[in-house]
Amino acid sequence: MSDRYCPDCGTLNVRAARFCQACGARLRGAPGAACARCGVTALPGDQYCDACGAALPESILLVVEDTGWRIVVPDRAENTLGREDVLSGARPDVDLAPYGADALGVSRKHARLRRAEDRYTLEDLNSVNLTYVNDERLEPGRKAALADGDRVSLGSLRLIFRQALRLRSPLPSVGDSSASLRAGFAG
């Protein structure tokens, strides 16, 4: 059975689902980071495991503007963004097909996201339906620097580039006041 089928009731679920829409069972292969301590899969972008509270690895996200779906970008120096196509064999690093990419004009290999240290750039790969960063057209081969919150359009698919929130200091212990809890987060 595919990971999109519920292991308990057999219902077919959307690829990005974490829980079965029919019976509520946890689905195998759900998107997000697996907790190193307990193995539970967290929502993409979560900083802490809901089950045990352990810190999760930081992640870069693309958020679908219309739906709020969070897409985790693999932790690599370079990722191709596009849509999988079985006939041509195209398999981008970040497959946007589950988010309506075909109908919204996303090319099979639409753009390249690169990381150098903590800085990110986006480059259009000569896509048919163009790439925009903050409503400015990105010419093929030209790189645009990305910052947290930038709007990226691949064809008509609108995304928001998000870098994980970082803690300024470790979390205080359980007995600390709520004021010291709030002071630990970067805003």
Side-chain angles (χ1 to χ4, degrees):
M1 255 189 209
S2 165
D3 288 339
R4 294 188 317 171
Y5 287 92
C6 176
D8 290 353
C9 72
T11 300
L12 177 63
N13 291 272
V14 294
R15 185 180 294 180
R18 291 179 62 207
F19 300 95
C20 176
Q21 63 188 6
C23 72
R26 185 175 297 277
L27 299 174
R28 293 184 300 262
C35 176
R37 184 185 298 165
C38 70
V40 169
T41 302
L43 279 172
D46 280 355
Q47 287 186 311
Y48 300 97
C49 176
D50 289 335
C52 71
L56 298 169
E58 291 182 3
S59 58
I60 298 301
L61 305 173
L62 296 172
V63 180
V64 180
E65 193 172 277
D66 293 340
T67 62
W69 286 57
R70 296 182 276 181
I71 306 163
V72 176
V73 176
D75 186 21
R76 294 188 206 127
E78 186 175 295
N79 286 289
T80 304
L81 311 178
R83 62 180 170 82
E84 183 177 12
D85 181 55
V86 177
L87 294 176
S88 70
R91 298 192 135 209
D93 300 312
V94 179
D95 181 18
L96 300 170
Y99 311 98
D102 192 22
L104 295 170
V106 176
S107 298
R108 291 170 187 92
K109 297 208 174 183
H110 198 105
R112 181 176 297 122
L113 182 64
R114 286 192 172 131
R115 178 191 74 218
E117 297 180 22
D118 285 338
R119 297 170 52 163
Y120 290 84
T121 59
L122 187 70
E123 175 186 2
D124 181 85
L125 296 177
N126 204 22
S127 63
V128 173
N129 292 314
L130 310 177
T131 300
Y132 292 84
V133 175
N134 295 324
D135 298 322
E136 290 187 33
R137 182 178 173 195
L138 185 57
E139 296 293 328
R142 191 181 128 238
K143 296 174 188 160
L146 291 178
D148 185 53
D150 279 352
R151 292 183 12 224
V152 173
S153 296
L154 305 177
S156 296
L157 180 62
R158 296 186 324 248
L159 306 165
I160 301 168
F161 176 77
R162 298 304 309 212
Q163 288 180 274
L165 295 172
R166 293 191 169 94
L167 295 175
R168 287 191 184 142
S169 61
L171 283 175
S173 63
V174 175
D176 288 345
S177 72
S178 60
S180 25
L181 280 172
R182 284 192 302 272
F185 288 95

